[in-house]
């Protein structure tokens, strides 16, 4: 009965590879987000989708591409991985954009070697 | 541009003490202020959400207040317990839902 789930939990890969992280929410929420937590534990938003429409696209390299096939899923694809991409990536969702509590997934720890 | 600051960065208290965590933000045009808890190696657990029209929210031993005019929010924890040890994060959002996070306060409650 997990509310916001992410797969995989851990991802270890070589520089230059392409990888994807998947996120699903079973809360019936309209809005989903991707956040990045760096090595200093600082959290910063990357993207937000509302009803499958891209709402927020922060200053993120275009190697990062989110995809929302439906309201319950928001995946993150990363091309040509770099060492600096190593971080914990969190998915979150809220009922309505900007108005409601955000619920976070357990995170995906990405390590680029 | 919204900036969120949390003071102190770390706090150690004996069990049973009441304590206050502080959060300040630069842009008073804030929609929501949300407090989270993060345990080491884990995700974020939402504790309390204060919407812009509200001044405080309570859940169990936790009470959060919001003063938009002074750009401050506080999280009050009553009768602290060792299980409260974690990093506490506050985050403010505008109408897009974009959360701007503070750096967090790491709390240790000693038995």
């Amino acid at each position: 009965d997990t509310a916001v789930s992410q797969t995989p939990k851990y991802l270890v890969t070589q520089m230059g590879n392409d990888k994807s992280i998947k996120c699903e929410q079973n809360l019936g929420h309209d809005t989903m987000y991707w956040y990045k937590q760096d090595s200093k534990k600082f959290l910063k938003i990357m993207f937000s989708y509302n009803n499958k429409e891209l709402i927020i696209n922060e200053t993120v390299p275009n190697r990062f591409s989110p995809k929302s096939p439906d309201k319950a899923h928001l995946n993150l694809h990363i091309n040509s991985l770099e060492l600096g991409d190593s971080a914990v990536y969190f998915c979150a969702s809220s009922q309505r954009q900007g108005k409601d509590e955000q619920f976070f997934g357990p995170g995906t720890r990405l390590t680029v070697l | 541009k919204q900036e969120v600051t949390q003071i102190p960065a770390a706090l150690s208290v004996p069990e049973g003490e009441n304590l206050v965590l502080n959060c300040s933000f630069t842009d008073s045009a804030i929609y929501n202020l949300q407090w989270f808890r993060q345990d080491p190696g884990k995700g974020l657990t939402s504790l309390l959400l204060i919407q812009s029209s509200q001044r405080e929210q309570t859940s169990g031993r936790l009470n959060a207040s919001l003063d938009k005019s002074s750009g401050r929010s506080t999280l009050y924890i009553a009768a602290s317990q060792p299980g409260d040890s974690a990093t506490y994060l506050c985050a403010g959002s505008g109408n897009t839902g974009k959360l701007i996070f503070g750096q967090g306060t790491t709390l240790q409650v000693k038995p």
Side-chain angles (χ1 to χ4, degrees), chain A residues 1 9 14 17 55 67 74 76 79 85 87 90 107 109:
Chain A
D1 61 346
K9 188 171 174 61
Q14 298 287 330
N17 284 349
I55 301 298
K67 284 187 173 53
L74 180 61
L76 183 64
N79 288 328
D85 297 332
F90 287 100
R109 181 174 293 277

Side-chain angles (χ1 to χ4, degrees), chain A residues 2-111:
Chain A
T2 304
V4 183
S5 59
Q6 296 178 228
T7 54
K9 188 171 174 61
Y10 300 98
L11 186 52
V12 181
T13 189
Q14 298 287 330
M15 262 196 317
N17 284 349
D18 302 338
K19 291 293 179 185
S20 292
I21 306 172
K22 295 185 176 182
C23 177
E24 176 181 3
Q25 54 94 3
N26 63 6
L27 298 167
H29 287 172
D30 286 344
T31 310
M32 296 184 73
Y33 312 82
W34 277 110
Y35 291 86
K36 177 181 179 180
Q37 188 170 42
D38 62 24
S39 57
K40 296 183 180 178
K41 307 295 185 188
F42 186 64
L43 269 155
K44 188 173 180 182
I45 192 162
M46 300 173 70
F47 302 103
S48 162
Y49 271 73
N50 186 56
N51 278 319
K52 300 195 298 174
E53 180 185 351
L54 181 64
I55 301 298
I56 296 172
N57 185 350
E58 286 293 286
T59 309
V60 176
N62 57 16
R63 298 182 294 104
F64 290 79
S65 54
K67 284 187 173 53
S68 181
D70 54 58
K71 280 194 340 179
H73 297 86
L74 180 61
N75 303 323
L76 183 64
H77 188 76
I78 315 170
N79 288 328
S80 303
L81 278 155
E82 300 177 357
L83 293 176
D85 297 332
S86 296
V88 181
Y89 293 84
F90 287 100
C91 176
S93 73
S94 64
Q95 178 64 60
R96 297 170 296 174
Q97 178 190 337
K99 291 181 171 58
D100 299 314
E101 192 173 7
Q102 290 187 28
F103 295 90
F104 279 66
T108 295
R109 181 174 293 277
L110 171 65
T111 302

Side-chain angles (χ1 to χ4, degrees), chain B residues 58-70:
Chain B
T58 298
S59 176
R61 295 182 293 109
L62 305 179
N63 177 277
S65 67
L66 174 63
D67 184 343
K68 291 176 63 176
S69 61
S70 67

